[in-house]
Amino acid sequence: MREVEHVAWLARLELTDEEKQVLAGQLGRILEYMEKLKEVDTEGIPPTFHALEGMASPLRQDQPAPGLDPEGALAGAPDRVDDLFRVPRTGEGEEEGA
Amino acid sequence: MRRGELRARDLVESCLGRTASLDGVLGCFLTLDGDRALERAALIDEELARARRQSAGVGETGAHPSAPAARPDPSAGGHGILAGIPYACKDNMCTRGVTTTCGSRILEGYVPPYDATVVEQLTGTGAILLGKTNMDEFAMGSSGENSAFFPTRNPHDTTRVPGGSSSGSAAAVAAGLVPFALGSDTGGSVRQPASFCGVVGFKPTYGRVSRYGLVAFASSLDQIGPLTLTVADCALVMEVMAGHDPRDATSAQVPVPQYTAVLGRDVRGLRLGVPREYMGEGIEPGVREAVRAALGALADLGCAVEECSLPHTDYALAVYYLVAPAEASSNLARYDGVRYGLRVEGGDITAMYSRTRRRGFGPEVRRRIMLGTYALSAGYYDAYYLKAQKVRTLVRRDFEQAFARYDLLVAPTSPTVAFRLGERTDDPLSMYMADVCTIPVNLAGIPAISIPCGQSEGLPVGLQIMGPPFAEGLILQAAWAFEQATGGAPWRQEVTP
């Protein structure tokens, strides 16, 4: 249960006590299923992070290109001031369990 | 339409009329954009009429009457190859000025300021967006029941699910609400609902179709694909959407063949492998029987059909349900109540993030974010995420080895026909099993199609044809031959739920 609470904090996801209970059970069962991967010998096998390895370079040329105009970028903001997103103050309450 | 025998406006009105009478039951659309679709249809009708007048004028001034019509310029709107054809788009692709929710409360009311590349491409060839279709929230689901708004129902039997996550797109095409629709396929989300709804669904090679403007779920697996009634329609839509896009860093710079030109080519001598792991336990007998009959039809066409093996298939589901949630937990970090969508106030910024995400995300999304965050967290990264990516390499190598012997692989799309609404909602693992036949394809990044191949319990069964990277043309060629040989899919009767 403490683990569920820790992961929920890492994910910035508020959960009720009841949800924590349900999730602890469900995630436990899912992770138990994942244990079957331990059967596979992966000694010397490289991981696949890209589906077509070696095909595409994830880096584009470092050239400026037009982006969204400020009005377009801010149009969906729940709260804004002029050309800025407005958020609650930062710097407090960020410690786990605070 | 090009000949002036049908107006785009009539077609759009017909689709809107059918949607008005059926969608109350089916729940295919989250947003209908009827007025704008009608306006656009009127413009395209005008352009087509002008083009006809001009071409008649050219004829009078000496063009040979039997000269073939020039291939329409695909960038020319009303003159493009899809001029006047209405379509629907899964609600996870950005559409400028049209609400895009991803089936989630966290994006309720969000109106993107730009179009996804695929939407731009379709608009450029004259297609008309009719609306945005319902989906499992953030494309997480295999039944269409995880939409935050309402479930979609299967047009063949409204007590059953249409499959997911491109549920609304598949059901809309099956019910004749639109001639084609777009979906996205991360672990089978185009092919599995295509199979359940008795339509054609295509997942292209990773990188073949631009993902720019697709709301990211699992970036190394996501790929946009069409849902259509026929293989020929699928080839046509693929022809419009495939190709390099500089705005997508993972877009492939590989030439695109003319897919419609390969239809009709002989399939005699094609070597087809049937992986035994896809035909064994867990596959419903009715599904297996329909697929066996389809393999017989392909053999009759002159294909060499042979059993083969993809030995790591059994691990693919576990790999997927670690890799996809891990990528999702990272991609969905952007939904924090700051830049768009829902915000729930809190005393400080951390409370605001956590409350916004708690209220905005549904149970399946929360479950996968938790799973992904856990798999990536300190102490578990090597044991879960890295291990999964290594086994993913073995799954990919299985395919590489199989394609050294066979041109294509053939298998069921789904182990079952459409199940009943509510049947699996309390058991996430049993729901995940619905994607067991489609997931390996996404892990390997290869292309695959699902086409209707028969029925079981009176419901559609899908046949999956998989190919090596960028073999879309060969897949379409084989699928078209099968479709023609079996009478243009006699299972595709008029669906009236």
Side-chain angles (χ1 to χ4, degrees), chain A residues 3 11-12 14 19 26 29 35 37 39-40 42 46 48 52 86, chain B residues 206 315 340 343 350 357-358 366-367 380 384 387 389 393 427:
Chain A
E3 199 143 45
R12 299 290 187 270
E14 189 180 82
E19 280 168 338
Q26 287 178 339
R29 223 186 121 219
E35 291 294 313
L37 292 181
E39 296 166 13
V40 189
T42 51
T48 292
L52 299 171
R86 180 149 69 179
Chain B
Y206 182 81
Y315 302 104
Y340 32 62
R343 173 185 288 192
T350 311
R357 289 160 65 76
R358 190 249 172 296
R366 293 206 294 266
R367 186 156 44 236
Y380 299 105
Y384 288 104
K387 178 78 180 179
Q389 294 285 38
T393 303
D427 183 359

PDB file of all heavy atoms in Angstrom, chain A residues 3 11-12 14 19 26 29 35 37 39-40 42 46 48 52 86, chain B residues 206 315 340 343 350 357-358 366-367 380 384 387 389 393 427:
ATOM      1  N   GLU A   3       3.700   1.463  -1.269  1.00  0.00           N
ATOM      2  CA  GLU A   3       4.277   1.553  -2.607  1.00  0.00           C
ATOM      3  C   GLU A   3       3.294   2.239  -3.576  1.00  0.00           C
ATOM      4  O   GLU A   3       3.687   3.075  -4.387  1.00  0.00           O
ATOM      5  CB  GLU A   3       4.619   0.151  -3.109  1.00  0.00           C
ATOM      6  CG  GLU A   3       5.605   0.161  -4.234  1.00  0.00           C
ATOM      7  CD  GLU A   3       6.586  -1.012  -4.144  1.00  0.00           C
ATOM      8  OE1 GLU A   3       6.144  -2.141  -3.885  1.00  0.00           O
ATOM      9  OE2 GLU A   3       7.776  -0.762  -4.331  1.00  0.00           O
ATOM     10  N   ALA A  11       3.577  10.058  -9.776  1.00  0.00           N
ATOM     11  CA  ALA A  11       2.759  10.308 -10.978  1.00  0.00           C
ATOM     12  C   ALA A  11       1.874  11.538 -10.823  1.00  0.00           C
ATOM     13  O   ALA A  11       1.125  11.864 -11.744  1.00  0.00           O
ATOM     14  CB  ALA A  11       1.903   9.077 -11.281  1.00  0.00           C
ATOM     15  N   ARG A  12       1.946  12.211  -9.694  1.00  0.00           N
ATOM     16  CA  ARG A  12       1.079  13.370  -9.412  1.00  0.00           C
ATOM     17  C   ARG A  12      -0.387  13.005  -9.652  1.00  0.00           C
ATOM     18  O   ARG A  12      -1.073  13.592 -10.479  1.00  0.00           O
ATOM     19  CB  ARG A  12       1.465  14.566 -10.284  1.00  0.00           C
ATOM     20  CG  ARG A  12       2.888  15.063 -10.079  1.00  0.00           C
ATOM     21  CD  ARG A  12       3.048  15.734  -8.701  1.00  0.00           C
ATOM     22  NE  ARG A  12       4.348  16.367  -8.533  1.00  0.00           N
ATOM     23  CZ  ARG A  12       5.440  15.778  -8.032  1.00  0.00           C
ATOM     24  NH1 ARG A  12       5.391  14.505  -7.638  1.00  0.00           N
ATOM     25  NH2 ARG A  12       6.572  16.432  -7.903  1.00  0.00           N
ATOM     26  N   GLU A  14      -3.772  12.060  -7.406  1.00  0.00           N
ATOM     27  CA  GLU A  14      -4.447  11.902  -6.116  1.00  0.00           C
ATOM     28  C   GLU A  14      -5.359  10.678  -6.175  1.00  0.00           C
ATOM     29  O   GLU A  14      -6.087  10.502  -7.155  1.00  0.00           O
ATOM     30  CB  GLU A  14      -5.284  13.166  -5.844  1.00  0.00           C
ATOM     31  CG  GLU A  14      -5.852  13.240  -4.461  1.00  0.00           C
ATOM     32  CD  GLU A  14      -6.672  14.513  -4.282  1.00  0.00           C
ATOM     33  OE1 GLU A  14      -7.843  14.520  -4.693  1.00  0.00           O
ATOM     34  OE2 GLU A  14      -6.123  15.490  -3.747  1.00  0.00           O
ATOM     35  N   GLU A  19      -9.543   3.561  -3.833  1.00  0.00           N
ATOM     36  CA  GLU A  19      -8.827   3.355  -5.104  1.00  0.00           C
ATOM     37  C   GLU A  19      -7.456   2.725  -4.870  1.00  0.00           C
ATOM     38  O   GLU A  19      -7.016   1.874  -5.649  1.00  0.00           O
ATOM     39  CB  GLU A  19      -8.651   4.682  -5.835  1.00  0.00           C
ATOM     40  CG  GLU A  19      -9.898   5.121  -6.580  1.00  0.00           C
ATOM     41  CD  GLU A  19      -9.796   6.561  -7.062  1.00  0.00           C
ATOM     42  OE1 GLU A  19      -9.009   7.332  -6.495  1.00  0.00           O
ATOM     43  OE2 GLU A  19     -10.518   6.906  -7.991  1.00  0.00           O
ATOM     44  N   GLN A  26      -5.076  -4.967  -8.271  1.00  0.00           N
ATOM     45  CA  GLN A  26      -5.016  -5.125  -9.735  1.00  0.00           C
ATOM     46  C   GLN A  26      -3.568  -5.060 -10.239  1.00  0.00           C
ATOM     47  O   GLN A  26      -3.152  -5.883 -11.060  1.00  0.00           O
ATOM     48  CB  GLN A  26      -5.832  -4.029 -10.408  1.00  0.00           C
ATOM     49  CG  GLN A  26      -7.336  -4.242 -10.259  1.00  0.00           C
ATOM     50  CD  GLN A  26      -8.136  -3.131 -10.897  1.00  0.00           C
ATOM     51  OE1 GLN A  26      -7.632  -2.025 -11.110  1.00  0.00           O
ATOM     52  NE2 GLN A  26      -9.396  -3.406 -11.215  1.00  0.00           N
ATOM     53  N   ARG A  29      -1.671  -8.199  -9.521  1.00  0.00           N
ATOM     54  CA  ARG A  29      -1.990  -9.309 -10.428  1.00  0.00           C
ATOM     55  C   ARG A  29      -1.323  -9.119 -11.789  1.00  0.00           C
ATOM     56  O   ARG A  29      -0.801 -10.055 -12.389  1.00  0.00           O
ATOM     57  CB  ARG A  29      -3.515  -9.390 -10.606  1.00  0.00           C
ATOM     58  CG  ARG A  29      -4.014 -10.809 -10.547  1.00  0.00           C
ATOM     59  CD  ARG A  29      -5.474 -10.929 -10.858  1.00  0.00           C
ATOM     60  NE  ARG A  29      -5.650 -11.816 -12.002  1.00  0.00           N
ATOM     61  CZ  ARG A  29      -6.528 -11.612 -12.955  1.00  0.00           C
ATOM     62  NH1 ARG A  29      -7.305 -10.569 -12.936  1.00  0.00           N
ATOM     63  NH2 ARG A  29      -6.628 -12.465 -13.951  1.00  0.00           N
ATOM     64  N   GLU A  35       5.934 -11.269 -14.493  1.00  0.00           N
ATOM     65  CA  GLU A  35       7.059 -12.056 -13.981  1.00  0.00           C
ATOM     66  C   GLU A  35       7.513 -13.101 -14.999  1.00  0.00           C
ATOM     67  O   GLU A  35       8.649 -13.565 -14.962  1.00  0.00           O
ATOM     68  CB  GLU A  35       6.673 -12.759 -12.666  1.00  0.00           C
ATOM     69  CG  GLU A  35       6.468 -11.803 -11.493  1.00  0.00           C
ATOM     70  CD  GLU A  35       7.741 -11.100 -11.077  1.00  0.00           C
ATOM     71  OE1 GLU A  35       8.774 -11.775 -10.945  1.00  0.00           O
ATOM     72  OE2 GLU A  35       7.701  -9.859 -10.910  1.00  0.00           O
ATOM     73  N   LEU A  37       8.378 -12.769 -17.845  1.00  0.00           N
ATOM     74  CA  LEU A  37       9.507 -12.293 -18.661  1.00  0.00           C
ATOM     75  C   LEU A  37      10.835 -12.793 -18.103  1.00  0.00           C
ATOM     76  O   LEU A  37      11.823 -12.894 -18.816  1.00  0.00           O
ATOM     77  CB  LEU A  37       9.516 -10.764 -18.741  1.00  0.00           C
ATOM     78  CG  LEU A  37       8.369 -10.115 -19.517  1.00  0.00           C
ATOM     79  CD1 LEU A  37       8.523  -8.601 -19.524  1.00  0.00           C
ATOM     80  CD2 LEU A  37       8.323 -10.623 -20.958  1.00  0.00           C
ATOM     81  N   GLU A  39      11.545 -15.667 -17.355  1.00  0.00           N
ATOM     82  CA  GLU A  39      11.882 -16.969 -17.969  1.00  0.00           C
ATOM     83  C   GLU A  39      12.811 -16.798 -19.166  1.00  0.00           C
ATOM     84  O   GLU A  39      13.502 -17.742 -19.575  1.00  0.00           O
ATOM     85  CB  GLU A  39      10.612 -17.652 -18.524  1.00  0.00           C
ATOM     86  CG  GLU A  39       9.582 -18.028 -17.514  1.00  0.00           C
ATOM     87  CD  GLU A  39       8.252 -18.365 -18.210  1.00  0.00           C
ATOM     88  OE1 GLU A  39       8.216 -18.533 -19.445  1.00  0.00           O
ATOM     89  OE2 GLU A  39       7.248 -18.453 -17.485  1.00  0.00           O
ATOM     90  N   VAL A  40      12.798 -15.598 -19.770  1.00  0.00           N
ATOM     91  CA  VAL A  40      13.514 -15.412 -21.037  1.00  0.00           C
ATOM     92  C   VAL A  40      14.964 -15.012 -20.770  1.00  0.00           C
ATOM     93  O   VAL A  40      15.225 -14.079 -20.013  1.00  0.00           O
ATOM     94  CB  VAL A  40      12.831 -14.303 -21.891  1.00  0.00           C
ATOM     95  CG1 VAL A  40      13.432 -14.252 -23.291  1.00  0.00           C
ATOM     96  CG2 VAL A  40      11.337 -14.514 -21.953  1.00  0.00           C
ATOM     97  N   THR A  42      17.932 -13.056 -21.650  1.00  0.00           N
ATOM     98  CA  THR A  42      18.207 -11.872 -22.461  1.00  0.00           C
ATOM     99  C   THR A  42      19.671 -11.448 -22.345  1.00  0.00           C
ATOM    100  O   THR A  42      20.011 -10.312 -22.661  1.00  0.00           O
ATOM    101  CB  THR A  42      17.284 -10.695 -22.056  1.00  0.00           C
ATOM    102  OG1 THR A  42      17.360 -10.535 -20.637  1.00  0.00           O
ATOM    103  CG2 THR A  42      15.857 -10.927 -22.467  1.00  0.00           C
ATOM    104  N   PRO A  46      20.392  -6.638 -26.932  1.00  0.00           N
ATOM    105  CA  PRO A  46      20.202  -5.190 -26.746  1.00  0.00           C
ATOM    106  C   PRO A  46      18.717  -4.844 -26.673  1.00  0.00           C
ATOM    107  O   PRO A  46      17.889  -5.550 -27.262  1.00  0.00           O
ATOM    108  CB  PRO A  46      20.832  -4.584 -28.010  1.00  0.00           C
ATOM    109  CG  PRO A  46      20.710  -5.657 -29.038  1.00  0.00           C
ATOM    110  CD  PRO A  46      20.742  -6.977 -28.317  1.00  0.00           C
ATOM    111  N   THR A  48      15.220  -2.789 -27.530  1.00  0.00           N
ATOM    112  CA  THR A  48      14.650  -2.100 -28.698  1.00  0.00           C
ATOM    113  C   THR A  48      13.913  -0.869 -28.195  1.00  0.00           C
ATOM    114  O   THR A  48      12.820  -0.991 -27.647  1.00  0.00           O
ATOM    115  CB  THR A  48      13.658  -3.015 -29.454  1.00  0.00           C
ATOM    116  OG1 THR A  48      14.385  -4.077 -30.054  1.00  0.00           O
ATOM    117  CG2 THR A  48      12.918  -2.262 -30.552  1.00  0.00           C
ATOM    118  N   LEU A  52      11.955   0.610 -35.528  1.00  0.00           N
ATOM    119  CA  LEU A  52      12.790   0.311 -36.691  1.00  0.00           C
ATOM    120  C   LEU A  52      14.181   0.840 -36.392  1.00  0.00           C
ATOM    121  O   LEU A  52      14.553   1.920 -36.832  1.00  0.00           O
ATOM    122  CB  LEU A  52      12.216   0.944 -37.957  1.00  0.00           C
ATOM    123  CG  LEU A  52      10.817   0.466 -38.342  1.00  0.00           C
ATOM    124  CD1 LEU A  52      10.255   1.304 -39.457  1.00  0.00           C
ATOM    125  CD2 LEU A  52      10.855  -0.998 -38.749  1.00  0.00           C
ATOM    126  N   ARG A  86      -1.091  31.268 -16.124  1.00  0.00           N
ATOM    127  CA  ARG A  86      -1.048  31.574 -14.697  1.00  0.00           C
ATOM    128  C   ARG A  86      -1.238  30.277 -13.904  1.00  0.00           C
ATOM    129  O   ARG A  86      -2.145  29.488 -14.182  1.00  0.00           O
ATOM    130  CB  ARG A  86      -2.145  32.564 -14.320  1.00  0.00           C
ATOM    131  CG  ARG A  86      -2.109  32.879 -12.828  1.00  0.00           C
ATOM    132  CD  ARG A  86      -2.575  34.252 -12.490  1.00  0.00           C
ATOM    133  NE  ARG A  86      -4.011  34.404 -12.726  1.00  0.00           N
ATOM    134  CZ  ARG A  86      -4.659  35.536 -12.483  1.00  0.00           C
ATOM    135  NH1 ARG A  86      -4.015  36.599 -12.034  1.00  0.00           N
ATOM    136  NH2 ARG A  86      -5.944  35.616 -12.725  1.00  0.00           N
TER     137      ARG A  86
ATOM    138  N   TYR B 206       5.658   1.380 -38.803  1.00  0.00           N
ATOM    139  CA  TYR B 206       5.976   2.517 -37.935  1.00  0.00           C
ATOM    140  C   TYR B 206       6.810   3.521 -38.738  1.00  0.00           C
ATOM    141  O   TYR B 206       7.822   3.143 -39.341  1.00  0.00           O
ATOM    142  CB  TYR B 206       6.756   2.028 -36.710  1.00  0.00           C
ATOM    143  CG  TYR B 206       7.076   3.135 -35.732  1.00  0.00           C
ATOM    144  CD1 TYR B 206       6.112   3.564 -34.830  1.00  0.00           C
ATOM    145  CD2 TYR B 206       8.301   3.759 -35.741  1.00  0.00           C
ATOM    146  CE1 TYR B 206       6.392   4.589 -33.941  1.00  0.00           C
ATOM    147  CE2 TYR B 206       8.593   4.783 -34.856  1.00  0.00           C
ATOM    148  CZ  TYR B 206       7.621   5.198 -33.964  1.00  0.00           C
ATOM    149  OH  TYR B 206       7.903   6.218 -33.095  1.00  0.00           O
ATOM    150  N   TYR B 315       5.346 -13.962 -24.940  1.00  0.00           N
ATOM    151  CA  TYR B 315       5.833 -12.918 -24.035  1.00  0.00           C
ATOM    152  C   TYR B 315       5.422 -11.507 -24.480  1.00  0.00           C
ATOM    153  O   TYR B 315       5.644 -10.539 -23.747  1.00  0.00           O
ATOM    154  CB  TYR B 315       7.360 -12.993 -23.931  1.00  0.00           C
ATOM    155  CG  TYR B 315       7.834 -14.344 -23.439  1.00  0.00           C
ATOM    156  CD1 TYR B 315       8.390 -15.268 -24.307  1.00  0.00           C
ATOM    157  CD2 TYR B 315       7.683 -14.693 -22.102  1.00  0.00           C
ATOM    158  CE1 TYR B 315       8.793 -16.513 -23.866  1.00  0.00           C
ATOM    159  CE2 TYR B 315       8.079 -15.940 -21.647  1.00  0.00           C
ATOM    160  CZ  TYR B 315       8.633 -16.846 -22.529  1.00  0.00           C
ATOM    161  OH  TYR B 315       9.015 -18.077 -22.076  1.00  0.00           O
ATOM    162  N   TYR B 340      -3.728  23.491 -21.136  1.00  0.00           N
ATOM    163  CA  TYR B 340      -5.005  23.237 -21.811  1.00  0.00           C
ATOM    164  C   TYR B 340      -5.823  22.274 -20.977  1.00  0.00           C
ATOM    165  O   TYR B 340      -5.311  21.608 -20.083  1.00  0.00           O
ATOM    166  CB  TYR B 340      -4.810  22.655 -23.223  1.00  0.00           C
ATOM    167  CG  TYR B 340      -3.586  21.789 -23.388  1.00  0.00           C
ATOM    168  CD1 TYR B 340      -3.422  20.617 -22.662  1.00  0.00           C
ATOM    169  CD2 TYR B 340      -2.566  22.170 -24.254  1.00  0.00           C
ATOM    170  CE1 TYR B 340      -2.294  19.848 -22.805  1.00  0.00           C
ATOM    171  CE2 TYR B 340      -1.426  21.394 -24.401  1.00  0.00           C
ATOM    172  CZ  TYR B 340      -1.300  20.237 -23.678  1.00  0.00           C
ATOM    173  OH  TYR B 340      -0.171  19.474 -23.809  1.00  0.00           O
ATOM    174  N   ARG B 343      -8.737  22.125 -15.286  1.00  0.00           N
ATOM    175  CA  ARG B 343      -7.916  22.461 -14.119  1.00  0.00           C
ATOM    176  C   ARG B 343      -8.789  22.350 -12.872  1.00  0.00           C
ATOM    177  O   ARG B 343      -9.898  22.880 -12.842  1.00  0.00           O
ATOM    178  CB  ARG B 343      -7.352  23.871 -14.217  1.00  0.00           C
ATOM    179  CG  ARG B 343      -6.653  24.270 -12.918  1.00  0.00           C
ATOM    180  CD  ARG B 343      -6.169  25.685 -12.907  1.00  0.00           C
ATOM    181  NE  ARG B 343      -5.010  25.867 -13.771  1.00  0.00           N
ATOM    182  CZ  ARG B 343      -4.259  26.976 -13.753  1.00  0.00           C
ATOM    183  NH1 ARG B 343      -4.558  27.977 -12.941  1.00  0.00           N
ATOM    184  NH2 ARG B 343      -3.241  27.096 -14.563  1.00  0.00           N
ATOM    185  N   THR B 350       1.423  21.564  -6.715  1.00  0.00           N
ATOM    186  CA  THR B 350       1.414  20.093  -6.693  1.00  0.00           C
ATOM    187  C   THR B 350      -0.002  19.572  -6.452  1.00  0.00           C
ATOM    188  O   THR B 350      -0.438  18.610  -7.102  1.00  0.00           O
ATOM    189  CB  THR B 350       2.352  19.555  -5.596  1.00  0.00           C
ATOM    190  OG1 THR B 350       3.607  20.223  -5.721  1.00  0.00           O
ATOM    191  CG2 THR B 350       2.566  18.077  -5.735  1.00  0.00           C
ATOM    192  N   ARG B 357      -5.416  15.798 -12.375  1.00  0.00           N
ATOM    193  CA  ARG B 357      -5.192  14.505 -13.006  1.00  0.00           C
ATOM    194  C   ARG B 357      -6.117  13.441 -12.424  1.00  0.00           C
ATOM    195  O   ARG B 357      -6.585  12.552 -13.134  1.00  0.00           O
ATOM    196  CB  ARG B 357      -3.719  14.105 -12.858  1.00  0.00           C
ATOM    197  CG  ARG B 357      -2.812  14.973 -13.724  1.00  0.00           C
ATOM    198  CD  ARG B 357      -1.371  14.964 -13.291  1.00  0.00           C
ATOM    199  NE  ARG B 357      -0.727  13.664 -13.426  1.00  0.00           N
ATOM    200  CZ  ARG B 357      -0.315  13.129 -14.579  1.00  0.00           C
ATOM    201  NH1 ARG B 357      -0.477  13.798 -15.702  1.00  0.00           N
ATOM    202  NH2 ARG B 357       0.260  11.955 -14.613  1.00  0.00           N
ATOM    203  N   ARG B 358      -6.436  13.552 -11.160  1.00  0.00           N
ATOM    204  CA  ARG B 358      -7.350  12.603 -10.518  1.00  0.00           C
ATOM    205  C   ARG B 358      -8.756  12.734 -11.108  1.00  0.00           C
ATOM    206  O   ARG B 358      -9.396  11.777 -11.453  1.00  0.00           O
ATOM    207  CB  ARG B 358      -7.369  12.892  -9.017  1.00  0.00           C
ATOM    208  CG  ARG B 358      -8.071  11.866  -8.175  1.00  0.00           C
ATOM    209  CD  ARG B 358      -9.351  12.402  -7.586  1.00  0.00           C
ATOM    210  NE  ARG B 358     -10.112  11.372  -6.938  1.00  0.00           N
ATOM    211  CZ  ARG B 358     -10.641  10.334  -7.553  1.00  0.00           C
ATOM    212  NH1 ARG B 358     -10.409  10.137  -8.824  1.00  0.00           N
ATOM    213  NH2 ARG B 358     -11.379   9.469  -6.893  1.00  0.00           N
ATOM    214  N   ARG B 366      -5.667   5.921 -15.271  1.00  0.00           N
ATOM    215  CA  ARG B 366      -4.973   6.004 -13.978  1.00  0.00           C
ATOM    216  C   ARG B 366      -4.185   4.717 -13.710  1.00  0.00           C
ATOM    217  O   ARG B 366      -3.047   4.746 -13.270  1.00  0.00           O
ATOM    218  CB  ARG B 366      -5.970   6.252 -12.845  1.00  0.00           C
ATOM    219  CG  ARG B 366      -6.629   7.619 -12.904  1.00  0.00           C
ATOM    220  CD  ARG B 366      -7.080   8.067 -11.530  1.00  0.00           C
ATOM    221  NE  ARG B 366      -8.147   7.249 -10.989  1.00  0.00           N
ATOM    222  CZ  ARG B 366      -9.445   7.520 -11.107  1.00  0.00           C
ATOM    223  NH1 ARG B 366      -9.831   8.598 -11.754  1.00  0.00           N
ATOM    224  NH2 ARG B 366     -10.343   6.743 -10.584  1.00  0.00           N
ATOM    225  N   ARG B 367      -4.821   3.576 -14.035  1.00  0.00           N
ATOM    226  CA  ARG B 367      -4.170   2.272 -13.819  1.00  0.00           C
ATOM    227  C   ARG B 367      -2.880   2.195 -14.636  1.00  0.00           C
ATOM    228  O   ARG B 367      -1.839   1.780 -14.154  1.00  0.00           O
ATOM    229  CB  ARG B 367      -5.142   1.153 -14.218  1.00  0.00           C
ATOM    230  CG  ARG B 367      -4.671  -0.222 -13.913  1.00  0.00           C
ATOM    231  CD  ARG B 367      -5.811  -1.231 -13.775  1.00  0.00           C
ATOM    232  NE  ARG B 367      -6.842  -1.109 -14.792  1.00  0.00           N
ATOM    233  CZ  ARG B 367      -8.141  -0.919 -14.519  1.00  0.00           C
ATOM    234  NH1 ARG B 367      -8.559  -0.855 -13.276  1.00  0.00           N
ATOM    235  NH2 ARG B 367      -9.023  -0.811 -15.486  1.00  0.00           N
ATOM    236  N   TYR B 380      13.207  -0.424 -10.182  1.00  0.00           N
ATOM    237  CA  TYR B 380      12.401  -1.357 -10.975  1.00  0.00           C
ATOM    238  C   TYR B 380      12.672  -1.233 -12.472  1.00  0.00           C
ATOM    239  O   TYR B 380      12.231  -2.049 -13.260  1.00  0.00           O
ATOM    240  CB  TYR B 380      10.903  -1.144 -10.706  1.00  0.00           C
ATOM    241  CG  TYR B 380      10.554  -1.374  -9.262  1.00  0.00           C
ATOM    242  CD1 TYR B 380      10.286  -0.318  -8.411  1.00  0.00           C
ATOM    243  CD2 TYR B 380      10.525  -2.671  -8.747  1.00  0.00           C
ATOM    244  CE1 TYR B 380       9.999  -0.527  -7.076  1.00  0.00           C
ATOM    245  CE2 TYR B 380      10.242  -2.894  -7.410  1.00  0.00           C
ATOM    246  CZ  TYR B 380       9.981  -1.823  -6.579  1.00  0.00           C
ATOM    247  OH  TYR B 380       9.705  -2.052  -5.272  1.00  0.00           O
ATOM    248  N   TYR B 384      11.937  -4.440 -14.902  1.00  0.00           N
ATOM    249  CA  TYR B 384      10.709  -4.449 -15.700  1.00  0.00           C
ATOM    250  C   TYR B 384      10.904  -3.798 -17.072  1.00  0.00           C
ATOM    251  O   TYR B 384      10.838  -4.472 -18.104  1.00  0.00           O
ATOM    252  CB  TYR B 384       9.573  -3.749 -14.943  1.00  0.00           C
ATOM    253  CG  TYR B 384       9.068  -4.558 -13.780  1.00  0.00           C
ATOM    254  CD1 TYR B 384       9.401  -4.232 -12.481  1.00  0.00           C
ATOM    255  CD2 TYR B 384       8.254  -5.669 -13.994  1.00  0.00           C
ATOM    256  CE1 TYR B 384       8.947  -4.982 -11.414  1.00  0.00           C
ATOM    257  CE2 TYR B 384       7.787  -6.435 -12.932  1.00  0.00           C
ATOM    258  CZ  TYR B 384       8.134  -6.081 -11.636  1.00  0.00           C
ATOM    259  OH  TYR B 384       7.675  -6.830 -10.593  1.00  0.00           O
ATOM    260  N   LYS B 387      14.111  -4.969 -19.128  1.00  0.00           N
ATOM    261  CA  LYS B 387      13.924  -6.385 -19.463  1.00  0.00           C
ATOM    262  C   LYS B 387      12.893  -6.504 -20.594  1.00  0.00           C
ATOM    263  O   LYS B 387      13.092  -7.255 -21.559  1.00  0.00           O
ATOM    264  CB  LYS B 387      13.443  -7.137 -18.216  1.00  0.00           C
ATOM    265  CG  LYS B 387      13.172  -8.604 -18.427  1.00  0.00           C
ATOM    266  CD  LYS B 387      14.449  -9.411 -18.446  1.00  0.00           C
ATOM    267  CE  LYS B 387      14.176 -10.896 -18.658  1.00  0.00           C
ATOM    268  NZ  LYS B 387      15.398 -11.684 -18.711  1.00  0.00           N
ATOM    269  N   GLN B 389      12.124  -4.327 -22.881  1.00  0.00           N
ATOM    270  CA  GLN B 389      12.659  -3.842 -24.161  1.00  0.00           C
ATOM    271  C   GLN B 389      13.625  -4.859 -24.769  1.00  0.00           C
ATOM    272  O   GLN B 389      13.776  -4.926 -25.993  1.00  0.00           O
ATOM    273  CB  GLN B 389      13.371  -2.492 -23.962  1.00  0.00           C
ATOM    274  CG  GLN B 389      12.434  -1.344 -23.557  1.00  0.00           C
ATOM    275  CD  GLN B 389      11.581  -0.834 -24.714  1.00  0.00           C
ATOM    276  OE1 GLN B 389      11.121  -1.611 -25.558  1.00  0.00           O
ATOM    277  NE2 GLN B 389      11.332   0.459 -24.747  1.00  0.00           N
ATOM    278  N   THR B 393      13.153  -7.033 -28.435  1.00  0.00           N
ATOM    279  CA  THR B 393      14.128  -7.320 -29.493  1.00  0.00           C
ATOM    280  C   THR B 393      13.941  -8.747 -30.007  1.00  0.00           C
ATOM    281  O   THR B 393      13.996  -8.996 -31.219  1.00  0.00           O
ATOM    282  CB  THR B 393      15.572  -7.148 -28.948  1.00  0.00           C
ATOM    283  OG1 THR B 393      15.690  -5.821 -28.439  1.00  0.00           O
ATOM    284  CG2 THR B 393      16.612  -7.382 -30.022  1.00  0.00           C
ATOM    285  N   ASP B 427     -12.042  -6.958 -15.062  1.00  0.00           N
ATOM    286  CA  ASP B 427     -10.838  -7.784 -15.064  1.00  0.00           C
ATOM    287  C   ASP B 427      -9.862  -7.250 -16.121  1.00  0.00           C
ATOM    288  O   ASP B 427      -9.892  -7.679 -17.276  1.00  0.00           O
ATOM    289  CB  ASP B 427     -11.240  -9.239 -15.366  1.00  0.00           C
ATOM    290  CG  ASP B 427     -10.041 -10.171 -15.321  1.00  0.00           C
ATOM    291  OD1 ASP B 427      -8.912  -9.694 -15.083  1.00  0.00           O
ATOM    292  OD2 ASP B 427     -10.241 -11.379 -15.540  1.00  0.00           O
TER     293      ASP B 427
END
